[in-house]
Amino acid sequence: MNPFTARVIDIIKGIPAGCVMTYGQIAELAGSPRGARQVVRILHSMSRAYELPWHRVVNAKGEIAIKDDESRFMQLVYLRDEGVIPGNDGLIDLSRYRYVPVKSK
DNA sequence: AGTGTGACTTGGG
DNA sequence: ACCCAAGCCACAC
């Protein structure tokens, strides 16, 4: 597995309950500013094997990006359970829930 | 090797 | 605020 993938997995595992991160944000932290789609791919293929909190990842608008209806619903349930409540328009307030990892040296 | 695709993003109209 | 087009990159056919 390449280092980018490893970092993405590591970052996602580090998202605390009650917070969310965007695909682009994760890709950037992992060292690939344009790698949002790779993050998507990783979630698809590794979320189960690595027990990743995939439900804490949303798109740049703060909405559930997943297409599959059932999974989308599950994500909503998980988030609500952790205290992340979408607004009337179904959007998650990123300025409020977005997780920004602390840069430790 | 060429083409299509996706749980994305950003910029413009 | 909404819709669209183009950019993006790794992977499946």
Side-chain angles (χ1 to χ4, degrees):
Chain A
M1 153 184 336
N2 64 42
F4 172 71
T5 302
R7 299 186 65 177
V8 168
I9 290 176
D10 206 50
I11 291 170
I12 295 176
K13 283 200 301 188
I15 305 176
C19 294
V20 299
M21 281 185 84
T22 68
Y23 299 91
Q25 188 190 354
I26 293 170
E28 190 172 11
L29 286 176
S32 180
R34 302 291 150 226
R37 314 205 80 133
Q38 280 52 268
V39 173
V40 168
R41 216 181 49 63
I42 292 169
L43 249 49
H44 260 285
S45 58
M46 321 290 262
S47 61
R48 190 160 44 164
Y50 288 78
E51 299 183 314
L52 302 176
W54 55 273
H55 57 277
R56 305 200 184 122
V57 183
V58 297
N59 68 22
K61 298 177 198 142
E63 63 187 357
I64 306 302
I66 197 168
K67 287 184 177 174
D68 179 63
D69 289 336
E70 300 180 43
S71 301
R72 198 174 61 208
F73 177 70
M74 275 180 51
Q75 176 163 15
L76 224 26
V77 173
Y78 282 132
L79 289 177
R80 188 191 57 193
D81 194 53
E82 295 177 354
V84 178
I85 315 297
N88 310 318
D89 47 11
L91 298 182
I92 291 169
D93 185 351
L94 289 178
S95 66
R96 177 175 163 180
Y97 297 109
R98 187 177 58 167
Y99 172 58
V100 181
V102 181
K103 237 178 236 307
S104 51
K105 26 164 183 33

